Amino acid sequence: MQTADLAAGRGALGIGLVVAAVVVVALLIGAFAFGSRRVARSRGRRPRPEEQPRMPGDGPVREVREHREPDEVPRSDARLTPHELNGHGNSGTRTGAPQERPRWDEGSSGGFGSGGPGGR
């Protein structure tokens, strides 16, 4: 009779573990659903079309290409701390002299091993 009791006890234990697993999965699904609804509510409403950004009246902003040169570090005998420099320790820049961008020479290959005709 004891063997029959042990078998019945193991079956009940297995069923109990399955029920516990189902409860844990249901709690996790419920927590996810509750959290996602809470996040969706906290985001607020979407902006209306009149609240969307508009293009400036003078047209789109254009890219400005200019060469920048670093500001010179002031010469002194004492050590300078960052708050004594221009830009509070950040490296400042100024507009540099206009320069022509380097272009490829006519008849050159353009790069090492590119298969072109090479130098002149």
Side-chain angles (χ1 to χ4, degrees):
M1 279 203 202
Q2 288 181 356
T3 56
D5 291 337
L6 287 177
R10 286 184 184 160
L13 180 64
I15 291 173
L17 287 175
V18 169
V19 169
V22 168
V23 167
V24 167
V25 168
L27 286 174
L28 288 173
I29 291 172
F32 178 78
F34 175 74
S36 63
R37 273 190 271 135
R38 185 174 164 195
V39 167
R41 271 188 265 130
S42 68
R43 285 190 183 159
R45 63 174 181 78
R46 292 184 177 179
R48 293 187 300 266
E50 59 269 7
E51 296 173 339
Q52 295 292 330
R54 298 280 181 231
M55 186 183 312
D58 55 348
V61 178
R62 301 287 181 210
E63 179 179 318
V64 176
R65 289 184 174 244
E66 60 181 14
H67 293 278
R68 304 291 295 177
E69 295 178 352
D71 285 337
E72 295 295 324
V73 177
R75 302 269 183 203
S76 68
D77 293 333
R79 177 180 283 191
L80 296 175
T81 57
H83 71 273
E84 295 172 326
L85 297 173
N86 293 337
H88 301 288
N90 296 324
S91 178
T93 61
R94 63 181 185 277
T95 303
Q99 299 174 352
E100 286 294 317
R101 293 177 53 200
R103 301 288 182 194
W104 297 116
D105 293 333
E106 283 297 322
S108 74
S109 65
F112 178 75
S114 65
R120 295 177 195 178

